[in-house]
Amino acid sequence: MKNPGQSHVPRQTQLILDLTSARVQVRARSGGNPTHATRTGLLGTFIAWTCCLIAPAHASAPLDLDALRGRVVYLDFWASWCAPCRQSFPWMQAMKNTYERQGLTVITVNLDHDRADAERFLRRFHPDFAVQFDPQGTLAEHFKVTGMPTSVIIDRHGIARFTHIGFRPADREAYTMQVQELLAEK
Amino acid sequence: MQLGADTRGVRRRLVAATCALLTASATRSQATPRASIDEMLSDWRLDSALAYYHEDGRIQAIEPVVSVSRDFGDGETLDLNFTFDSLTGSSPNGALPSRKPQTFASPSGTSLMLAHHSYTTAPGELPVDPHYHDQRFALGADWTLPLTRLTRVTVGGKFSDEHDFLSVTADASIAHDFNDKNTTVSLGLFDENDSLSPIGGAPVPLSDYALFEKTGHKSKNGAGVLLSVTQVMTRTWLTEFNLSADRFTGYLNDPYKIISVIDDGGDTVGYVYENRPQSRTRRSAYLENRVGWERASAALSLRYMSDSWGVHSATAQLNLRQWNAERDKYLEPTARWYRQTAADFYTPWLLNSAGPDVTVASSDSRLGAFRALTYGLKFGMKLNDKFGRDDSELNLRVEYYQQTVESAVPGPGSLQGLDLYPSLKAVLLEIGFSY
Amino acid sequence: MNPGKMNLAVIVAGAMFLSGCASLGVKPWQRDVLARKDMQLSAGSIDSAVDDHLYFSKEASSGGRSFAGGGCGCN
Amino acid sequence: MLAIRFKAMASPCEVLLHSPRRGDALRLGAVAAAEAWRVEGKYSRYRDDSVVAWIHRNRGSEISVDEETASLLDFASHCFDISDGLFDVTSGVLRRAWKFDGSNRIPDAAAVARLLPLVGFDKLRWQSPRLLLPADMELDFGGIGKEYAVDRAYDLLAAQYAGPFLVNFGGDLRANRPPPNGPWQVGIERPDTDQTAAMVLDLERGALATSGDSRRFLLKDTVRYGHILDPRTGWPVPESPRSVTVAASSCTEAGLLSTLALLHGAQARAFLEDQGARYWLVH
């Protein structure tokens, strides 16, 4: 019922961020300095994923990262009681919707002590990215989570390239840039 | 829809329906301003309370307190608070009850005859100034800035203004988290500067009350340090241990307090203004334990304090909070036990024969030895669905506070049989709202 | 308990307290109970502000959980 | 002029901003994008985790819906009454009979008739916030979803940004005020002609919504069956215009007027004239 009427984009428009394409056409300076983003690059933490079939005790399905080889994985550890974790949800949803077709997979690991709290939160948010449950914190131990939330951005070869502790609204642009960078790598 | 019918009405009803939808969604987005993006971002919090304090036969006070805090999302927070006190009623002037009626001039008087107010206390009654009234207005602010993920600095200030007392306080503290934020050590300093302009002027210490020898303004200032260690013991048990010390110097007297001078027969022969040492050093240790269960929590705090005026006090407070099944209403009974010894220079009266070698003396009951018990009950109710915030709350609190004097020295002669140390009974009612 | 003994008690308590710290505590993701509003330390709460003001004007001690001093001429 | 583009609701979306600061554009773009995806995620009938899917899973039993869904259902109910049943969010079920793939396969009358009992907003039991969707019926917010998303995104941006901006989700757009160098220029493409011959409108402020069937139709013995179905008959509205663009103060209102105009078929122009609406119509 809808035919898309395109609006004219006046000549002097400067396209600054086209989320539709993989590459950022105009390199936008990231807003604030990325919070405590430890750029772990190739030389950084080198967590080999060869063995990577990690089977946390209570997770509904083992976190099989090897199956995701070739895709960029945004792995986020969160809990329902943690305010910055809640703030990151809309943004993670947006990232999944935008970059899923370009190869991004968002996986979140819930670390709530009892699952009812997590379920209550998820009912309000309807996120459509994966949520693993890890009440014992097995995965959190494995990834040495030291703060909440902790997000690990893993490149197509399974190497953790960036690790972030905490989530500030101002971090969104910086994290988006890093995801796009890894998406662009083959 | 047949044409020709009142289709103009259609547009009107359509506009109305659209407005209803969008205003509903707009108000919803107002209630949680950036609804979709950071629904849970509680950037602004409001804590407010209206307290009514009433002493048995003495003063009563109304105290609204409003605190607004902003969380900038990365550990940086700003807290602004506002307090207003309005006190009225009768305040003990420090004199003893007597077999004979006693007449006093209110502080603003320059002599018994020319006093704006004078008041007479019946025999056997505790002398209290019935015209006591006071209004205080205070503003405070605290700003916490994270230096790193584990270290943060807090700077704060407080300004408090009464017609006869102005106080400005500044404080700063630095806190650092150890082993995965389980241990937090913080060190804080504060500096307070007060200026006093008592009604009718500050009396010459220990001068004869009847002479009304008054001088001008006075000031006092204080500084202190607070070392705090917070330790997470288990997933449901948190402990805080504080050590603090402070030192105040300057005019520490209460300009309106007088001491009865009695003869050996116990009869009051006159009054002198009190005098306290010019400095006071206090040290205190404080331990707070909080334990949480599924639908309950308990807090036990202990405090020990001793100061250079010879006052040693011990305090214990227990709060038990029990939520209902849906976890949206709670009851919180509280109990507090307090005990203090008297200041070295505390004396309910001065003997006429004591002569001039008395340098410091005060009959202020707050420096005497007493025990105090507080029983309280608080009822709280979450309002989360109405305001879209999961921690907005309405609560009611009532507390009953009673002081009983200890090691009371019986009065000589005619004072026998008089209740020289009437106990203080008070009730506090408070309604609170936080969003 | 005279001041001298108090200092000793305080130092012993402090040392014992700090030394035990390393082994205590929870993982960062096990702070659900600690994050609850009713588990926050009383220093910041409005109830303790009202109470501390009352006790400051009726008793000789003040502070302990936060800085001493009442900021009013009421003691 | 800065532009942020993204895809949502199966259409190209953009936010145009007149603002010197790039950070503003980035942030506001993200606000609008996230809102578009949120509304899409919540009300799209293609996703199995949306609120609509959840409602369909609970057919036949009474459920209580959240505030936003309740306000949308109230709106759908008003529109159903105002249009005497012409605008009906339960008419999606007719898609089981009609496949608009440009072919000439017209469903037989019996197949359509069998579906009619499942159409009709009045057959729902709706007492906010409690809803009972009878078995086998369907709810589809497609008719108002995109325009509602535009208004929502517009409100969010307006709350944080004072400069001139325009939100455009696949042709449904709304602007708060004109940029300094003159009004927004909005091109309305003419259906089944090439893109460039678009008609250009100068938009100062307010919303534009376009409804039409330029791509989805059936053709049989030279009769063109547009995909606009009359919920009361289950058959396409004869001679409905190919494209209707309406201007109004909010996108939801503009979208509804354009949709109702299409549903009036040959009387679309008369309907729009009667409403005193500003419109552009292509037969």
Side-chain angles (χ1 to χ4, degrees):
Chain A
M1 195 149 68
K2 292 290 164 221
N3 67 327
Q6 269 305 329
S7 63
H8 269 281
V9 179
R11 276 160 317 288
Q12 72 279 32
T13 298
Q14 194 191 26
L15 178 63
I16 57 138
L17 181 65
D18 186 336
L19 298 182
T20 46
S21 72
R23 295 293 305 156
V24 173
Q25 285 168 346
V26 174
R27 192 89 184 132
R29 273 190 330 289
S30 73
N33 50 11
T35 2
H36 331 298
T38 50
R39 185 178 178 95
T40 44
L42 280 174
L43 304 174
T45 340
F46 187 91
I47 304 171
W49 299 112
T50 42
C51 65
C52 65
L53 187 63
I54 300 151
H58 289 287
S60 42
L63 180 60
D64 180 357
L65 287 172
D66 199 22
L68 295 168
R69 184 61 59 84
R71 292 183 67 83
V72 173
V73 176
Y74 187 94
L75 182 65
D76 179 84
F77 292 90
W78 66 281
S80 61
W81 47 265
C82 144
C85 306
R86 293 195 296 259
Q87 288 161 27
S88 66
F89 261 62
W91 176 78
M92 285 195 290
Q93 178 68 63
M95 291 300 283
K96 174 186 189 289
N97 295 345
T98 314
Y99 294 103
E100 187 173 30
R101 282 179 284 282
Q102 280 104 45
L104 174 69
T105 301
V106 173
I107 298 181
T108 65
V109 179
N110 173 267
L111 299 167
D112 267 284
H113 182 261
D114 51 35
R115 191 160 169 158
D117 296 338
E119 300 284 3
R120 198 176 314 124
F121 173 77
L122 291 171
R123 268 199 302 278
R124 284 190 65 169
F125 260 83
H126 305 295
D128 67 0
F129 40 72
V131 177
Q132 292 276 125
F133 291 96
D134 177 21
Q136 302 309 320
T138 330
L139 283 170
E141 302 270 6
H142 180 86
F143 285 92
K144 290 192 285 301
V145 166
T146 54
M148 293 297 282
T150 290
S151 46
V152 183
I153 309 181
I154 303 163
D155 69 13
R156 293 182 191 275
H157 309 298
I159 297 156
R161 299 283 294 281
F162 302 108
T163 303
H164 300 308
I165 300 169
F167 183 84
R168 287 184 329 165
D171 297 336
R172 288 185 199 142
E173 288 98 38
Y175 293 6
T176 309
M177 300 296 163
Q178 288 167 348
V179 166
Q180 288 172 340
E181 192 184 316
L182 296 191
L183 282 171
E185 288 170 1
K186 281 292 163 283
Chain B
M1 188 164 61
Q2 299 68 24
L3 273 190
D6 167 20
T7 46
R8 175 69 67 175
V10 167
R11 179 74 188 269
R12 239 184 322 91
R13 289 168 64 198
L14 185 65
V15 169
T18 318
C19 286
L21 171 66
L22 294 181
T23 42
S25 77
T27 45
R28 227 191 348 279
S29 62
Q30 244 78 41
T32 51
R34 293 189 287 285
S36 61
I37 290 288
D38 26 36
E39 212 158 355
M40 289 301 179
L41 180 68
S42 55
D43 46 8
W44 276 105
R45 268 190 59 73
L46 166 77
D47 266 318
S48 63
L50 177 62
Y52 171 69
Y53 169 77
H54 176 83
E55 280 173 3
D56 188 6
R58 297 199 194 168
I59 62 165
Q60 66 239 358
I62 303 241
E63 184 180 64
V65 183
V66 177
S67 155
V68 179
S69 49
R70 170 86 198 276
D71 179 346
F72 295 92
D74 50 7
E76 181 184 358
T77 59
L78 175 67
D79 175 273
L80 305 170
N81 50 66
F82 157 80
T83 312
F84 178 74
D85 284 343
S86 161
L87 297 97
T88 56
S90 30
S91 161
N93 65 13
L96 274 179
S98 160
R99 288 290 172 194
K100 297 194 290 296
Q102 303 176 79
T103 303
F104 304 92
S106 62
S108 57
T110 51
S111 75
L112 261 180
M113 273 59 72
L114 302 176
H116 185 56
H117 300 286
S118 66
Y119 52 95
T120 303
T121 310
E125 293 288 326
L126 178 71
V128 288
D129 175 352
H131 311 303
Y132 176 78
H133 60 81
D134 185 14
Q135 278 170 347
R136 182 177 77 96
F137 161 82
L139 276 177
D142 288 289
W143 181 45
T144 300
L145 184 66
L147 303 181
T148 70
R149 198 173 70 81
L150 299 173
T151 312
R152 53 203 166 279
V153 174
T154 301
V155 288
K158 199 158 74 176
F159 163 83
S160 167
D161 182 24
E162 291 166 68
H163 59 277
D164 60 354
F165 182 84
L166 179 67
S167 166
V168 179
T169 309
D171 60 74
S173 60
I174 182 163
H176 185 75
D177 299 329
F178 297 86
N179 56 56
D180 273 352
K181 287 195 176 179
N182 281 310
T183 309
T184 305
V185 177
S186 93
L187 184 65
L189 302 167
F190 85 91
D191 182 74
E192 177 173 342
N193 291 295
D194 309 335
S195 71
L196 300 92
S197 43
I199 308 166
V204 169
L206 294 177
S207 67
D208 183 338
Y209 170 71
L211 302 180
F212 289 88
E213 286 171 299
K214 299 283 181 73
T215 57
H217 300 285
K218 295 289 179 182
S219 72
K220 67 180 162 90
N221 45 56
V225 61
L226 172 69
L227 171 69
S228 168
V229 179
T230 309
Q231 172 64 40
V232 172
M233 310 298 265
T234 69
R235 191 172 133 291
T236 57
W237 176 22
L238 175 69
T239 301
E240 174 187 41
F241 179 69
N242 296 351
L243 292 174
S244 65
D246 59 75
R247 176 172 168 72
F248 277 78
T249 53
Y251 182 81
L252 304 179
N253 295 2
D254 180 329
Y256 309 115
K257 285 287 190 289
I258 54 177
I259 311 169
S260 299
V261 178
I262 57 170
D263 57 21
D264 299 340
D267 294 333
T268 304
V269 294
Y271 314 92
V272 290
Y273 283 100
E274 69 156 43
N275 186 34
R276 305 184 192 192
Q278 307 263 313
S279 76
R280 179 185 193 185
T281 312
R282 276 187 297 204
R283 282 189 304 273
S284 75
Y286 175 83
L287 178 71
E288 178 172 339
N289 283 283
R290 300 193 83 92
V291 182
W293 296 276
E294 169 64 17
R295 284 205 307 283
S297 61
L300 174 69
S301 65
L302 305 167
R303 175 181 68 179
Y304 178 78
M305 189 221 76
S306 88
D307 72 12
S308 56
W309 284 1
V311 178
H312 304 281
S313 77
T315 315
Q317 176 160 345
L318 179 66
N319 293 43
L320 299 167
R321 177 178 292 197
Q322 177 62 50
W323 293 84
N324 60 350
E326 298 80 26
R327 225 177 178 290
D328 60 1
K329 296 185 183 59
Y330 65 80
L331 267 178
E332 181 171 334
T334 57
R336 175 180 187 266
W337 176 87
Y338 173 81
R339 186 159 184 264
Q340 79 173 41
T341 60
D344 303 332
F345 54 86
Y346 168 76
T347 172
W349 61 76
L350 286 173
L351 284 174
N352 197 359
S353 52
D357 56 4
V358 174
T359 58
V360 276
S362 168
S363 60
D364 189 335
S365 56
R366 289 173 290 206
L367 293 175
F370 61 82
R371 267 196 331 279
L373 279 175
T374 312
Y375 302 111
L377 186 65
K378 179 177 183 181
F379 165 75
M381 188 173 74
K382 270 196 174 170
L383 308 163
N384 48 14
D385 46 6
K386 293 192 189 49
F387 295 90
R389 306 273 297 253
D390 53 13
D391 49 17
S392 61
E393 176 184 318
L394 184 68
N395 52 54
L396 285 167
R397 184 162 77 105
V398 60
E399 259 181 11
Y400 175 74
Y401 174 71
Q402 174 169 12
Q403 279 182 5
T404 5
V405 174
E406 284 191 329
S407 60
V409 175
S414 66
L415 289 175
Q416 269 149 10
L418 287 183
D419 177 7
L420 302 185
Y421 311 96
S423 68
L424 165 69
K425 297 188 184 66
V427 72
L428 176 81
L429 294 168
E430 183 191 289
I431 178 165
F433 169 69
S434 62
Y435 166 73
Chain C
M1 202 153 82
N2 62 48
K5 244 196 291 173
M6 176 192 159
N7 293 352
L8 186 66
V10 153
I11 291 159
V12 164
M16 192 178 65
F17 190 80
L18 284 176
S19 63
C21 288
S23 60
L24 299 170
V26 292
K27 296 291 176 193
W29 56 87
Q30 296 172 322
R31 302 183 76 104
D32 51 338
V33 174
L34 301 169
R36 275 177 11 198
K37 189 176 160 203
D38 58 348
M39 283 294 286
Q40 301 315 308
L41 290 168
S42 62
S45 86
I46 216 165
D47 287 355
S48 18
V50 171
D51 283 349
D52 286 352
H53 181 221
L54 184 157
Y55 296 135
F56 175 79
S57 65
K58 292 298 156 196
E59 296 165 353
S61 345
S62 80
R65 53 175 153 223
S66 50
F67 290 120
C72 73
C74 48
N75 75 329
Chain D
M1 188 64 70
L2 299 176
I4 293 100
R5 287 209 189 89
F6 52 92
K7 270 180 76 49
M9 292 174 259
S11 13
C13 304
E14 63 184 353
V15 174
L16 301 181
L17 286 149
H18 180 82
S19 148
R21 279 201 307 280
R22 184 187 301 267
D24 262 356
L26 217 50
R27 181 168 54 79
L28 291 164
V31 165
E35 182 60 12
W37 291 323
R38 182 190 73 82
V39 172
E40 176 179 21
K42 195 170 181 185
Y43 294 108
S44 148
R45 56 185 166 80
Y46 301 108
R47 318 173 80 104
D48 53 14
D49 63 341
S50 66
V51 165
V52 175
W54 173 60
I55 293 175
H56 286 162
R57 280 197 296 273
N58 290 286
R59 286 196 184 95
S61 59
E62 187 172 275
I63 50 173
S64 77
V65 295
D66 65 282
E67 259 178 67
E68 185 175 32
T69 309
S71 60
L72 278 172
L73 282 168
D74 283 338
F75 180 67
S77 161
H78 289 315
C79 296
F80 180 78
D81 300 340
I82 295 170
S83 63
D84 298 337
L86 205 47
F87 180 88
D88 189 333
V89 291
T90 66
S91 62
V93 77
L94 295 171
R95 268 190 285 274
R96 298 180 190 165
W98 290 90
K99 292 284 178 296
F100 294 97
D101 47 16
S103 69
N104 58 7
R105 283 189 299 284
I106 308 292
D108 58 272
V112 174
R114 267 200 308 282
L115 291 172
L116 282 186
L118 303 176
V119 176
F121 191 87
D122 44 12
K123 298 189 172 75
L124 304 185
R125 229 189 24 238
W126 166 240
Q127 178 62 29
S128 175
R130 285 184 305 288
L131 168 71
L132 192 144
L133 181 66
D136 217 14
M137 281 187 72
E138 280 181 23
L139 262 187
D140 174 11
F141 289 110
I144 34 180
K146 196 191 290 180
E147 293 90 338
Y148 172 67
V150 167
D151 285 326
R152 285 282 311 159
Y154 174 91
D155 286 342
L156 290 177
L157 298 193
Q160 327 174 13
Y161 178 66
F165 65 84
L166 181 140
V167 177
N168 172 17
F169 292 172
D172 296 340
L173 48 93
R174 183 172 174 184
N176 64 341
R177 51 191 175 77
N181 47 24
W184 303 95
Q185 279 152 2
V186 177
I188 304 298
E189 68 174 36
R190 306 188 68 80
D192 60 37
T193 56
D194 55 42
Q195 290 279 7
T196 49
M199 175 177 60
V200 178
L201 306 175
D202 281 353
L203 174 71
E204 293 271 330
R205 57 178 51 79
L208 281 178
T210 303
S211 305
D213 68 355
S214 58
R215 284 193 185 70
R216 291 189 280 167
F217 56 89
L218 293 172
L219 201 57
K220 188 175 184 209
D221 330 329
T222 73
V223 175
R224 192 178 188 294
Y225 295 88
H227 76 290
I228 309 298
L229 301 175
D230 179 337
R232 296 169 299 191
T233 63
W235 284 81
V237 174
E239 298 162 44
S240 81
R242 307 290 288 289
S243 149
V244 180
T245 297
V246 174
S249 58
S250 80
C251 208
T252 307
E253 184 191 346
L256 207 55
L257 281 173
S258 63
T259 306
L260 284 177
L262 283 181
L263 287 164
H264 277 77
Q267 277 92 24
R269 186 179 298 280
F271 165 76
L272 288 168
E273 287 293 341
D274 261 336
Q275 303 313 313
R278 295 210 46 206
Y279 65 93
W280 296 268
L281 196 132
V282 172
H283 263 295

